[in-house]
């Protein structure tokens, strides 16, 4: 069961998710980047430069075993998932910016994900030649990440009505399949997961919180609008854990390498929800303070 889930179920689930992403994308989602260059540039700097260093520092601080350390960096290199769009919508972020960032990150990840993963392997597991993402495996990453997205975009371009009609069913199907596959994968690997849960829960929780915080506060520091900062927070804070799991288990052939992403993939939903509620409470507090200040100034 575990082997079938790894070799067939996980790639199929990810393929459906990425195909669904493609159905919702147009060329305009890429060109829209030019209309908000500052917000996009800062978000990309956070995603591609700041987060890997944050994750590297956490890995050293928590003294993770080498394979799990590489798994954490693989997770950090994974682009934002489509779930970020949902959270951004719920907490009044700029969803259009989320879509553009997801589209752009998915393309850039084809280069940065193998690069960061290989650097992590070289640092934590020097001399290991079995886990690296060489050219053939990098091509696999390209196919896994981009091929379904491009196919979905082509379907939308040629059959817009069909793409609109299929958007919701594909989203529902991807969620159902993903839950079934990940649940089955967790059950089939429950022994190794439970043995490492205590060690990984702390670092993945902290990494998620730091990712969300970096994604929100760094753009605000540079005077990016609040709605755009909210979008950036969820785009950077909610990584595509499924992609990291698929690459770890099917491309690199290591269940242990996928453990950080598996633990993170469960915890991030609750952490992101709490972060969003915190932002909402902050908004209300500032609104109450502003309302209270009006009579006083009058």
């Amino acid at each position: 069961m575990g082997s079938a889930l790894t070799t067939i179920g996980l790639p199929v689930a990810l393929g459906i998710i990425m195909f669904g992403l493609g159905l919702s994308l147009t060329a305009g989602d890429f060109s829209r980047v030019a209309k908000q260059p500052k917000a996009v540039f800062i978000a990309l700097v956070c995603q591609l430069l700041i987060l890997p260093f944050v994750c590297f520092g956490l890995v050293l601080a928590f003294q993770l075993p080498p394979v799990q350390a590489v798994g954490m960096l693989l997770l950090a290199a994974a682009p934002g998932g489509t779930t970020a769009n949902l959270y951004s919508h719920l907490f009044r972020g700029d969803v259009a910016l989320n879509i553009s960032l997801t589209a752009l990150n998915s393309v850039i990840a084809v280069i940065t994900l193998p690069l960061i993963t290989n650097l992590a392997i070289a640092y934590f597991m020097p001399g290991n030649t079995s886990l690296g993402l060489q050219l053939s495996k990098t091509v696999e990453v390209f196919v896994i990440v981009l091929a379904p997205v491009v196919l979905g975009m082509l379907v939308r371009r040629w059959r817009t009505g069909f793409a609109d009609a299929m958007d919701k069913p594909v989203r529902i199907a991807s969620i159902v399949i993903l839950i079934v596959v990940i649940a089955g994968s967790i059950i089939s690997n429950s022994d190794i997961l439970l043995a490492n849960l205590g060690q990984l829960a702390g670092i993945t929780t902290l990494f998620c919180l730091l990712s969300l915080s970096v994604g929100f506060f760094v753009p605000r520091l540079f005077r990016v609008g609040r709605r755009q900062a909210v979008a950036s927070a969820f785009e950077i804070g909610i990584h595509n854990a499924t992609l990291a799991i698929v690459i770890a288990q099917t491309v690199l052939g290591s269940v242990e390498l996928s453990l950080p992403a598996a633990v993170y993939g469960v915890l991030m939903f609750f952490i992101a929800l709490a972060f969003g509620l915190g932002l909402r409470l902050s908004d209300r507090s500032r609104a109450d303070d502003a309302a209270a200040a009006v009579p006083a100034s009058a």
Side-chain angles (χ1 to χ4, degrees):
M1 181 180 179
S3 177
L5 283 168
T6 299
T7 58
I8 301 174
L10 277 172
V12 168
L14 180 65
I16 293 174
I17 291 171
M18 301 306 282
F19 176 73
L21 170 62
L23 287 178
S24 67
L25 293 178
T26 65
D29 294 316
F30 291 91
S31 62
R32 190 190 299 120
V33 169
K35 298 178 181 178
Q36 302 185 72
K38 182 178 179 180
V40 171
F41 176 76
I42 292 173
L44 289 178
V45 168
C46 291
Q47 174 80 45
L48 302 176
L49 295 178
I50 297 178
L51 277 196
F53 282 105
V54 168
C55 185
F56 181 73
L58 287 175
V59 165
L60 294 180
F62 277 78
Q63 298 182 335
L64 289 187
V67 175
Q68 293 180 14
V70 174
M72 280 297 302
L73 268 299
L74 170 61
L75 173 63
T82 53
T83 309
N85 301 348
L86 172 60
Y87 276 86
S88 185
H89 173 70
L90 287 175
F91 296 106
R92 300 174 185 173
D94 186 341
V95 179
L97 177 60
N98 276 106
I99 294 172
S100 295
L101 285 172
T102 300
L104 198 58
N105 268 329
S106 296
V107 174
I108 296 174
V110 174
I111 299 172
T112 57
L113 194 149
L115 176 63
I116 292 173
T117 302
N118 281 339
L119 287 174
I121 292 171
Y123 183 88
F124 291 105
M125 306 176 69
N128 189 307
T129 58
S130 62
L131 283 182
L133 284 168
Q134 290 82 26
L135 179 60
S136 61
K137 293 183 179 180
T138 301
V139 171
E140 287 186 55
V141 173
F142 177 84
V143 173
I144 289 171
V145 175
L146 281 190
V149 175
V150 172
L151 180 59
M153 291 183 68
L154 291 175
V155 170
R156 182 168 187 82
R157 180 178 177 84
W158 294 331
R159 296 287 187 272
T160 305
F162 175 78
D164 289 337
M166 289 300 294
D167 183 57
K168 187 174 181 179
V170 169
R171 287 175 185 270
I172 295 173
S174 65
I175 292 172
V176 172
I177 293 173
L178 182 60
I179 291 173
V180 171
V181 170
I182 289 183
S185 182
I186 288 174
I187 292 172
S188 61
N189 297 290
S190 58
D191 291 343
I192 187 172
L193 185 61
L194 289 174
N196 292 275
L197 182 61
Q199 186 173 29
L200 290 172
I203 188 172
T204 51
T205 297
L206 187 55
F207 176 64
C208 187
L209 280 172
L210 289 174
S211 298
L212 290 162
S213 299
V214 166
F216 180 78
F217 290 108
V218 172
R220 291 296 286 162
L221 183 65
F222 288 92
R223 301 185 182 280
V224 171
R226 188 171 180 83
R227 291 185 66 240
Q228 287 71 40
V230 171
S232 173
F234 289 115
E235 188 66 33
I236 293 168
I238 301 179
H239 296 266
N240 192 337
T242 310
L243 173 62
I245 293 171
V246 169
I247 291 175
Q249 294 195 17
T250 63
V251 179
L252 296 174
S254 172
V255 172
E256 190 175 0
L257 195 69
S258 71
L259 291 179
V263 175
Y264 171 91
V266 175
L267 296 177
M268 72 176 184
F269 295 104
F270 306 102
I271 299 167
L273 179 62
F275 187 85
L277 291 173
L279 291 178
R280 182 71 61 84
L281 289 174
S282 175
D283 287 341
R284 289 179 180 176
S285 177
R286 289 190 300 116
D288 291 343
D289 290 344
V294 170
S297 62

